[in-house]
Amino acid sequence: MVKHQPLQYYEPQLCLSCLTGIYGCRWKRYQRSHDDTTRWELLWFVILTFTFFLTLTWFYFWWEVHNDYNEFNWFLYNRTGHWDDWSIPILLITAAGFTYITALLILALGHIAVGQQMNLHWLHKGFLGVILIATVIAMVSIEEMWEEEWDVLFISFQATAPFLHIGAVGAITLLAWIIAGQFARSEKAIFQMFIIITYLAVVIALYLVPLTISSPCLMEKKDLGMKPRIIGHRGAPMLAPENTIMSFQRALEHQAYGLEADVMISYDGVPFLMSDHTLKRTTNINNVFPELSFLHSSMINWTDLERLNAGDWFVKTDPFWTASSLSPSDATKAENQSVCKLSELLVLAKEHNATLLLKVQPVPFDHPYASSYINITVTTILTSGISENLVIWLSDTERALVTDMAPGFQLASDLKRDVKSLRETGITLLNLRYTDVTTEDIREYRADNLTLNTYTVNEPWLYSVLWCSGVQSVTSDAPHILSKVPFPVWLMPPDEYYIIWITSDVISFTVIVGVFILQNYHLIRWRLGSIRTYNPEQIMLSAAVRRNSRDVRIMKEKLIFSEINNSMDTADDLSLCSENRYDGFSNNAVTPSTDAKLHAS
């Protein structure tokens, strides 16, 4: 029986098969190649890298603006007239796209590391193009509709930059193995110089980034100011329907220093609390009075307003994704809230000695109280008996009248002005969006004894940055969260940060140098060995390091001539009498017949 044996046995390469299979659908050994990647595929690699950094920026941005998701939804509501929560779906889609792009980039870098030819599958190319286009459209849309929100990106760096720097240094250090490998495999000195100079430029730039980092939380603990006071924005709208008595009660239960509300005057002259120009979003007016649903909120009589339900929408739409956490009794109470009068809020604030931040909304010109709505509001406040110094008056309309009627009110403005003009108008408090002030502005206002309140602050990291900056108070949708922040999320002395910075850079540089020495040590050893002799193992090594086909062919030719020369040297040793080395070698060869004759004799 004839036994057949395989000419060559190949070890299974599961990891390599998965690498090339997932990236380019090349699962079989014969489909893989160590040849140079084509220019077309290199272009796709560049597009993949660009898309990675673009989606990383977009993902980081959308994650950090979590503080303003409700503001984003409210913005869309004003544009479309329908309340839909798009913030969380956008976040999930962004996270999925970024994860997919990151996985593709890791696979591509894996191809480079093992010397495999890159060949991105057409399906991946399609998804890559879709994600790139969608990300560009999203960023352009934000630029057009919500341009000021990009400032959040720079504010967030005050909280995350020190940690992002360490992460970036770690990532660029890990890339040293791939970069050093490419440097070692390159045959052209120009390409080697380009690789090393580019890589070193990026590394040095990252090492020096902390020189540009300016975070207010890089300070000594003893220099930290008092914790900013918390004012409930329309109460506690994450725990109860906004601008309702339940919402204001929940804010005070969670140690809110004050309450913020928007005041309107009904058509029959009753001050009530409402922030929207219509009642469609926060009441059931579409069901009760559909003919009034498009009217301005102040153009409806109080007798009709008090019949509306102002809480059922909160449980149904769950604007902050918190309604599901309410107890059954709280959910029932929230569902039955009604529109709140200003007088009801004044009674509650007086009982708890809470500060009120009030902004009176202007009424339409054809409103019956268009000329006296300020007078009516101030009169209602004074009639309640609340202390005047607990009222912060934010409206700019008829300030002189307000000052005459209630000289104890704290005058505030929501417009950023210079200190001189603020002093001239008697304003002692500024109510600004947190993106409109810088650390320098905060220090200037504090130096001139001006109180600064920033809105709307819901995230602990943002609250911590403002705390370190010296802000005196914040308006928040989440007093129940911020009241539990006993200390800034992080606070680090500058000297300690400098030690961490220098240490991480030194460790990174040491690792990079070690990797380059290790990679080039193997290259030098291979090259020195190739000068002395060639053997099959070295040809296999050449394939492993992705030599081009011309180099492999030359090595094979040298191997053949080397074997011939070795055979000729052996023939010289065995030849005894023949002058012709080839003949002598053949004449002294031992054959089976000769061997048999020797044994017979």
Side-chain angles (χ1 to χ4, degrees):
M1 179 181 293
V2 179
K3 294 183 179 180
H4 298 279
Q5 294 183 353
L7 295 177
Q8 187 173 359
Y9 174 73
Y10 292 99
E11 290 288 341
Q13 297 174 310
L14 180 60
C15 292
L16 186 59
S17 296
C18 291
L19 180 69
T20 58
I22 297 175
Y23 187 79
C25 201
R26 294 177 298 162
W27 299 94
K28 303 298 183 181
R29 181 184 296 271
Y30 67 85
Q31 294 176 315
R32 300 194 288 268
S33 173
H34 289 285
D35 291 341
D36 293 336
T37 301
T38 63
R39 293 183 178 180
W40 176 248
E41 290 299 327
L42 288 176
L43 176 61
W44 276 107
F45 175 73
V46 172
I47 295 175
L48 174 61
T49 305
F50 173 76
T51 305
F52 168 77
F53 285 107
L54 196 67
T55 53
L56 174 62
T57 303
W58 171 250
F59 181 52
Y60 176 80
F61 165 77
W62 197 251
W63 179 267
E64 291 301 326
V65 299
H66 184 270
N67 183 84
D68 300 329
Y69 281 174
N70 186 67
E71 183 179 335
F72 173 74
N73 292 327
W74 191 80
F75 175 82
L76 293 180
Y77 169 76
N78 287 335
R79 287 290 187 97
T80 63
H82 300 282
W83 180 267
D84 295 301
D85 189 353
W86 285 99
S87 57
I88 300 300
I90 291 176
L91 178 63
L92 296 177
I93 294 172
T94 300
F98 174 71
T99 303
Y100 174 73
I101 294 298
T102 303
L104 283 185
L105 184 61
I106 292 174
L107 292 173
L109 294 176
H111 278 69
I112 296 175
V114 300
Q116 282 289 324
Q117 184 186 55
M118 289 187 292
N119 187 15
L120 186 63
H121 193 262
W122 63 268
L123 197 59
H124 289 318
K125 293 176 181 177
F127 286 139
L128 174 60
V130 170
I131 293 174
L132 176 59
I133 294 173
T135 304
V136 171
I137 291 175
M139 298 178 80
V140 171
S141 300
I142 291 295
E143 177 67 23
E144 292 292 329
M145 299 186 300
W146 209 16
E147 180 181 0
E148 66 276 6
E149 197 67 13
W150 286 113
D151 295 334
V152 178
L153 201 64
F154 303 102
I155 295 175
S156 69
F157 287 151
Q158 297 180 14
T160 61
F163 309 100
L164 292 178
H165 166 251
I166 295 176
V169 169
I172 201 68
T173 303
L174 292 176
L175 285 177
W177 184 263
I178 297 176
I179 300 297
Q182 289 297 105
F183 179 84
R185 294 176 188 137
S186 177
E187 293 290 327
K188 297 180 180 180
I190 296 179
F191 186 65
Q192 287 181 326
M193 292 298 295
F194 174 77
I195 291 177
I196 195 67
I197 291 175
T198 303
Y199 182 69
L200 286 179
V202 174
V203 169
I204 293 173
L206 282 178
Y207 287 170
L208 299 179
V209 159
L211 295 175
T212 65
I213 293 177
S214 176
S215 174
C217 291
L218 288 173
M219 63 187 306
E220 298 290 342
K221 184 177 180 180
K222 61 182 179 62
D223 297 327
L224 181 66
M226 293 182 59
K227 179 179 178 178
R229 294 167 296 191
I230 302 169
I231 298 176
H233 182 235
R234 304 170 189 170
M238 289 188 181
L239 303 178
E242 64 182 57
N243 284 323
T244 61
I245 284 296
M246 181 182 179
S247 181
F248 296 121
Q249 289 173 340
R250 290 292 180 269
L252 294 174
E253 289 172 3
H254 288 89
Q255 304 172 1
Y257 161 77
L259 304 171
E260 183 271 346
D262 296 281
V263 181
M264 287 190 179
I265 303 297
S266 67
Y267 196 75
D268 50 357
V270 178
F272 68 99
L273 308 181
M274 184 61 58
S275 56
D276 293 7
H277 290 165
T278 67
L279 301 172
K280 292 189 297 181
R281 181 176 69 91
T282 58
T283 70
N284 62 341
I285 192 171
N286 283 328
N287 298 328
V288 181
F289 303 113
E291 69 280 1
L292 304 178
S293 61
F294 292 97
L295 290 179
H296 192 278
S297 300
S298 63
M299 300 299 285
I300 303 174
N301 288 321
W302 174 250
T303 53
D304 294 330
L305 291 171
E306 63 182 353
R307 294 174 56 187
L308 299 176
N309 182 295
D312 187 56
W313 71 275
F314 173 79
V315 177
K316 289 181 178 179
T317 61
D318 196 4
F320 292 96
W321 299 70
T322 54
S324 58
S325 63
L326 297 178
S327 65
S329 59
D330 284 342
T332 301
K333 185 177 181 180
E335 287 177 340
N336 293 287
Q337 292 297 300
S338 57
V339 178
C340 181
K341 290 197 295 185
L342 174 60
S343 58
E344 294 175 306
L345 174 62
L346 292 169
V347 172
L348 183 65
K350 182 180 178 181
E351 291 177 357
H352 292 82
N353 199 36
T355 298
L356 290 180
L357 177 60
L358 300 178
K359 183 174 183 178
V360 182
Q361 299 285 357
V363 298
F365 70 93
D366 55 346
H367 192 282
Y369 296 97
S371 60
S372 60
Y373 71 96
I374 294 293
N375 193 324
I376 293 174
T377 304
V378 175
T379 301
T380 302
I381 296 173
L382 296 177
T383 304
S384 69
I386 191 173
S387 177
E388 292 185 13
N389 61 3
L390 293 178
V391 178
I392 301 175
W393 187 267
L394 191 57
S395 300
D396 288 327
T397 306
E398 299 189 51
R399 282 192 182 274
L401 173 63
V402 174
T403 303
D404 291 339
M405 294 181 65
F409 283 5
Q410 300 180 57
L411 298 183
S413 175
D414 54 4
L415 298 176
K416 190 175 182 179
R417 306 176 185 177
D418 60 87
V419 175
K420 183 179 179 180
S421 63
L422 293 173
R423 290 297 185 191
E424 291 175 351
T425 54
I427 294 174
T428 59
L429 186 144
L430 275 176
N431 183 59
L432 302 176
R433 194 174 193 268
Y434 67 91
T435 55
D436 293 336
V437 292
T438 64
T439 304
E440 292 72 20
D441 293 332
I442 296 172
R443 292 171 182 170
E444 181 182 356
Y445 293 143
R446 285 182 66 91
D448 289 286
N449 294 322
L450 288 172
T451 303
L452 177 64
N453 180 75
T454 56
Y455 65 90
T456 306
V457 179
N458 300 326
E459 293 297 313
W461 72 264
L462 180 57
Y463 183 66
S464 299
V465 170
L466 295 172
W467 184 351
C468 295
S469 300
V471 169
Q472 292 96 331
S473 63
V474 301
T475 300
S476 175
D477 293 324
H480 63 296
I481 295 177
L482 300 189
S483 62
K484 297 178 181 178
V485 179
F487 201 71
V489 173
W490 68 272
L491 191 70
M492 189 182 302
D495 293 341
E496 183 178 333
Y497 174 63
Y498 294 151
I499 293 174
I500 296 175
W501 163 30
I502 296 173
T503 302
S504 61
D505 287 357
V506 169
I507 293 175
S508 170
F509 187 75
T510 303
V511 172
I512 290 173
V513 171
V515 167
F516 269 82
I517 292 176
L518 182 63
Q519 290 273 27
N520 285 278
Y521 168 75
H522 285 291
L523 176 66
I524 295 171
R525 191 176 175 189
W526 177 82
R527 285 180 174 175
L528 290 177
S530 66
I531 294 174
R532 292 192 297 269
T533 182
Y534 285 80
N535 53 56
E537 288 79 4
Q538 287 176 332
I539 291 182
M540 293 177 66
L541 178 62
S542 72
V545 297
R546 203 167 62 108
R547 311 283 293 184
N548 58 46
S549 58
R550 179 177 176 273
D551 291 340
V552 174
R553 185 173 64 253
I554 294 174
M555 291 169 61
K556 289 180 178 179
E557 293 174 355
K558 290 184 178 181
L559 172 64
I560 294 172
F561 286 117
S562 176
E563 293 297 333
I564 293 176
N565 290 335
N566 289 339
S567 299
M568 292 172 62
D569 292 340
T570 304
D572 283 338
D573 295 335
L574 296 176
S575 178
L576 299 177
C577 57
S578 174
E579 294 181 359
N580 190 318
R581 295 179 180 178
Y582 295 101
D583 293 341
F585 180 77
S586 60
N587 289 339
N588 288 278
V590 180
T591 63
S593 58
T594 305
D595 187 49
K597 289 179 182 179
L598 290 174
H599 282 286
S601 61

